[in-house]
Amino acid sequence: MGTIQNFEDLIIWQKSRTLCQEIFLLIMNGNFLKDFALIDQINRSSGSVMDNIAEGFGRMGNNEFINFLTYSYASATESKSQLYRALDRNYITKEKSEELIDLIEEIKKIINALISYLRKTDLRGQKFKYR
């Protein structure tokens, strides 16, 4: 495995981007279009998953990255709850909700593993590299 140079290299960011794309496709169709509040919430929370990973990576230090990864984890959990609301309102199928919830659970597991790694590694991040 090569060195991660950009947040786009992170599998967790790539999976979060997929989640965001999938959510966007859902909210642009059918009955979902009438529920402006839920559209706004789920669009924001799913976007926050990938955005917080990128922002935390850009802080260039492990402690800051861990902090933003916890925000990302929380946003993923929020998106999961909103998917249940969409399912309960018959905006999405049970199969689609299960597929996206499985993706969210995978994202959360990877976030936890990355946090655990960052807490244990001797590498402290780019901004501490030359100190």
Side-chain angles (χ1 to χ4, degrees), residues 64-131:
E64 294 95 334
F65 195 13
I66 289 168
N67 193 39
F68 278 88
L69 287 170
T70 64
Y71 297 151
S72 185
Y73 187 97
S75 292
T77 303
E78 181 182 354
S79 294
K80 180 179 176 182
S81 179
Q82 292 157 352
L83 282 170
Y84 281 115
R85 287 180 24 208
L87 176 65
D88 293 345
R89 295 174 186 180
N90 296 312
Y91 298 162
I92 60 174
T93 65
K94 183 169 178 49
E95 293 75 25
K96 190 62 175 178
S97 70
E98 288 172 352
E99 174 189 325
L100 292 176
I101 287 169
D102 286 348
L103 178 57
I104 289 170
E105 288 304 312
E106 181 182 5
I107 288 167
K108 289 169 52 179
K109 285 179 187 173
I110 297 170
I111 289 171
N112 275 336
L114 183 52
I115 289 170
S116 179
Y117 168 78
L118 291 171
R119 285 185 174 146
K120 292 176 184 174
T121 184
D122 289 335
L123 302 172
R124 303 314 315 153
Q126 283 288 60
K127 72 180 183 180
F128 301 105
K129 191 172 184 176
Y130 301 108
R131 291 186 179 176

Side-chain angles (χ1 to χ4, degrees), residues 10-22 46-51 53 72 76 103 107 111:
L10 295 166
I11 300 242
I12 186 61
W13 183 84
Q14 295 167 14
K15 288 184 179 290
S16 298
R17 182 180 181 195
T18 298
L19 173 66
C20 196
Q21 291 169 327
E22 290 288 326
S46 64
S48 287
V49 178
M50 62 187 280
D51 294 345
I53 292 166
S72 185
L103 178 57
I107 288 167
I111 289 171

Side-chain angles (χ1 to χ4, degrees), residues 21-29 32 83 92 96 100:
Q21 291 169 327
E22 290 288 326
I23 295 291
F24 183 76
L25 291 174
L26 283 179
I27 62 178
M28 298 317 307
N29 292 301
F32 228 126
L83 282 170
I92 60 174
K96 190 62 175 178
L100 292 176

